[in-house]
Amino acid sequence: QKKIDLACHFIKAYAFNLNESNSRIKDFDEISRWCRENKINLYLNLMAENYQFADSLVGKDLVFLMRQNRDFLVKRYTRDNCKVVDNLEAVEGKDFIDVEWTTEHYRYKGRMRIAKNLATQLKDQFKNAYKEVY
């Protein structure tokens, strides 16, 4: 039953196609427009999701939708003053702490991977403050 509940939650959270008419996309468009008009750099962080677990519970079609939505967001918002940090598949399934719900709770290795990806995207804007850490 726990796996069925989790599979249903994955479906509710990710089984849809993003498009221009989606209300959240309209919100992000407005944020992006405002930032562009005010010459503010905008960074959107697509958080890692346990796509490996989603695949094992629901199947490849759900992972296809997750990737398709990611691709839509990256294409739509990677421009001018906006950068999209694509972390959707940055964390391996074994590096998720919670495997009983969809979550962004990662083990140390997963957190470090997300942080490094964000830092890499931010380093151009903050050249003087950026330091490579191993």
Side-chain angles (χ1 to χ4, degrees):
Q1 184 61 47
K2 285 184 180 183
K3 285 187 177 184
I4 291 171
D5 292 343
L6 181 55
C8 290
H9 187 69
F10 267 108
I11 290 167
K12 290 174 193 172
Y14 298 107
F16 59 87
N17 280 106
L18 285 176
N19 58 49
E20 294 82 13
S21 63
N22 182 283
S23 59
R24 294 294 74 83
I25 294 301
K26 290 176 183 179
D27 293 341
F28 280 120
D29 286 349
E30 180 64 21
I31 292 166
S32 177
R33 182 196 59 73
W34 186 89
C35 288
R36 188 172 46 256
E37 288 174 359
N38 289 282
K39 297 180 177 27
I40 295 172
N41 291 323
L42 176 62
Y43 294 86
L44 300 175
N45 181 24
L46 299 181
M47 296 300 292
E49 184 52 75
N50 196 340
Y51 67 95
Q52 294 165 329
F53 200 40
D55 186 4
S56 73
L57 288 172
V58 182
K60 298 201 179 313
D61 289 341
L62 179 62
V63 175
F64 174 80
L65 287 172
M66 293 166 76
R67 288 176 174 150
Q68 191 174 46
N69 286 334
R70 179 258 329 265
D71 294 346
F72 174 83
L73 293 168
V74 169
K75 182 178 178 185
R76 187 173 185 88
Y77 295 109
T78 300
R79 61 177 182 231
D80 306 327
N81 66 314
C82 186
K83 291 189 181 194
V84 179
V85 184
D86 177 11
N87 282 308
L88 178 65
E89 298 181 58
V91 178
E92 293 183 49
K94 65 181 178 159
D95 290 321
F96 282 81
I97 292 172
D98 190 352
V99 292
E100 294 186 14
W101 207 247
T102 59
T103 180
E104 292 85 30
H105 298 161
Y106 317 115
R107 298 186 193 289
Y108 177 80
K109 185 177 176 185
R111 290 192 307 270
M112 291 305 293
R113 177 71 170 190
I114 298 291
K116 184 171 177 82
N117 289 347
L118 287 168
T120 299
Q121 286 292 321
L122 291 167
K123 76 178 178 182
D124 289 338
Q125 184 177 349
F126 301 100
K127 290 178 182 137
N128 296 333
Y130 183 82
K131 291 182 175 74
E132 189 73 37
V133 178
Y134 298 96

